[in-house]
Every structure is written in structure tokens, then in C-alpha cells.
Amino acid sequence: MENFRHEWKHEISAFDAVLVRQRMQAVAKPDPYAKNGRYTIRSLYFDNLHDKALREKIDGVDRREKFRIRYYNGDLSVIHLEKKIKRNSLTSKESVPLTEPEARAIARGDYGFMQESPYELVKELCRKMQWEGLMPKTIVDYTREPFVYTPGNVRITLDYNIRTGLGCVDFLNPDCVTIPAGDPVIILEVKWDAFLPDIIRDALQLTNCRAGAYSKYAACRIYG
């Protein structure tokens, strides 16, 4: 059963990022998985020959989905296949584990093991790679500073140093070269379940932020 959450995205200034960091350190807790308050994320995003996911994002389609393979801090012992689903202002994410050989096989377009996978999400990706032409499109790298607040199951993140790489099959190589995805930006993301506590809402009041639907995947497609 899909578990949808609310999501805000804001493009903020470096000054506002300092304010958010200070305020979150006062009222929220750092994510226990972060090292020194942050971690790096590398994702391999999929799209079809007609760039369906990219075009739906740019056009603001209310109901859309994206597939990606993701790992953290260069650690190849924990890799996940994810599908992010968007329904208006709500989002949901499905996630299943992959081994390193499985992730490499998917990046090569090798369907063999996928059809026999115990995970329905892997089988779904297999079908869409075969019948809809879904394929790896680009690498997305960035640094994330995460904070959590238990009431409302709130997660606040600062994402920056967003980089892109087009050598998709090499995305499991920590030395794979990536380049900045356009002008530097800092993205504030806020996710919560049924309610956003006032203490968090008040702490995130900023004068210069721009609410919007910034997409790291779309930004990283500027070179192809």
C-alpha cells in the first residue's frame, strides 16, 4: 500500500541555509545515518527514449513516477532500487535492495536476473525496460544535510553540490567523473505525514526562499 507524504521544496540562498542549519540544530535532531551531519548520495535515473519522466516534470504533470538506483557515501554494500511516485503535492517512495552485481546488470540493460527477482519492483522495472524503453539516463550526485523531528514524522534536508555524470554504466565507480549541474543551488526539502508541527513551520520561515518544484534529475539533464 502506497504511503503518501507531503513535500515542500525551496531554492534558498547560502545565508538562509545557515539560518536553517542553526534553527534545525536547536529544535530537531540530525539523521542518525549522517556522518558529521551529512552524507553524499549518488543516483542513477532512468527514462525512456522520449524522455517521458523529464517532460512530465517540466510540464508539471500531476501524476508521475521516476525510477532510480541509489547508494550513499560511496558504500556499495547497501544499494537500493527506488520508484518515486508523485500525486499532486503528495509523494511516495517504494524501495528494494540490490546487490552490487545486480545493480551493474541493470545499468547494462541485462534483464536476466530481473525476471526471477523476488521483488515486484525489480520485475516492474524489467517490464518497463523491455516494453517502454526505460534505460539509464544520467548520474545525479549531491551532498545532503538531514534533520528529523519525530512528531509528524518530519524530515528536513539541505541539498547542495549537485553534480551530473553521463557515463551511466560507470555509476558504481566512486571515481566516475561528474560535473556541476548548472549554477550552484541549495535546495531545502521538507517532508511530513499528516501534519507539520508549528515549531518546524515557524523555524523554516525565510524571507528569500522560492517555493517550487526543483528537480535534481531535470537539472542534471542539461547536458544531455
Side-chain angles (χ1 to χ4, degrees):
M1 183 176 180
E2 294 173 348
N3 180 28
F4 282 93
R5 285 162 56 81
H6 298 270
E7 179 180 273
W8 280 352
K9 286 188 181 182
H10 303 270
E11 186 175 336
I12 65 174
S13 67
F15 177 77
D16 281 341
V18 172
L19 291 180
V20 169
R21 187 178 298 115
Q22 292 174 342
R23 294 172 182 177
M24 290 302 103
Q25 288 171 346
V27 302
K29 296 180 180 180
D31 187 305
Y33 295 104
K35 297 179 179 179
N36 298 317
R38 68 194 66 185
Y39 48 71
T40 59
I41 298 175
R42 170 166 287 182
S43 300
L44 177 65
Y45 278 84
F46 291 72
D47 213 334
N48 68 10
L49 290 169
H50 305 291
D51 290 328
K52 180 175 181 286
L54 178 62
R55 292 182 181 278
E56 288 182 346
K57 173 63 181 177
I58 293 173
D59 294 340
V61 175
D62 290 336
R63 300 171 64 89
R64 58 185 188 270
E65 66 183 30
K66 288 196 297 283
F67 280 87
R68 66 195 179 201
I69 300 175
R70 171 169 288 189
Y71 62 99
Y72 299 83
N73 290 327
D75 181 5
L76 300 182
S77 67
V78 181
I79 306 173
H80 285 90
L81 170 65
E82 299 179 347
K83 180 174 77 167
K84 188 171 182 181
I85 304 162
K86 183 81 170 180
R87 298 290 183 268
N88 298 311
S89 61
L90 301 176
T91 62
S92 179
K93 185 175 72 174
E94 298 178 34
S95 178
V96 298
L98 294 174
T99 65
E100 182 180 344
E102 288 172 344
R104 292 188 185 279
I106 293 174
R108 295 193 305 267
D110 182 353
Y111 307 131
F113 88 94
M114 299 176 72
Q115 296 170 339
E116 306 301 325
S117 172
Y119 299 111
E120 180 56 37
L121 189 61
V122 174
K123 294 178 180 178
E124 180 184 350
L125 176 61
C126 179
R127 292 192 297 269
K128 291 183 176 180
M129 292 177 73
Q130 289 179 301
W131 305 112
E132 298 181 15
L134 214 61
M135 66 183 73
K137 281 288 185 172
T138 193
I139 297 169
V140 177
D141 281 349
Y142 58 96
T143 300
R144 167 165 284 178
E145 292 184 41
F147 301 89
V148 294
Y149 189 77
T150 302
N153 190 23
V154 184
R155 185 173 177 82
I156 306 100
T157 59
L158 293 169
D159 295 340
Y160 51 87
N161 192 27
I162 302 168
R163 301 175 66 85
T164 181
L166 299 178
C168 297
V169 296
D170 203 28
F171 84 109
L172 293 177
N173 177 1
D175 297 322
C176 176
V177 175
T178 59
I179 57 177
D183 295 330
V185 296
I186 302 174
I187 304 301
L188 167 64
E189 293 190 11
V190 188
K191 299 183 178 75
W192 70 97
D193 289 345
F195 70 98
L196 181 62
D198 288 342
I199 190 172
I200 298 296
R201 189 185 299 271
D202 293 343
L204 294 176
Q205 293 298 314
L206 303 170
T207 57
N208 299 315
C209 71
R210 295 183 294 168
Y214 182 92
S215 166
K216 300 180 191 71
Y217 169 62
C220 288
R221 287 295 308 278
I222 61 174
Y223 299 114

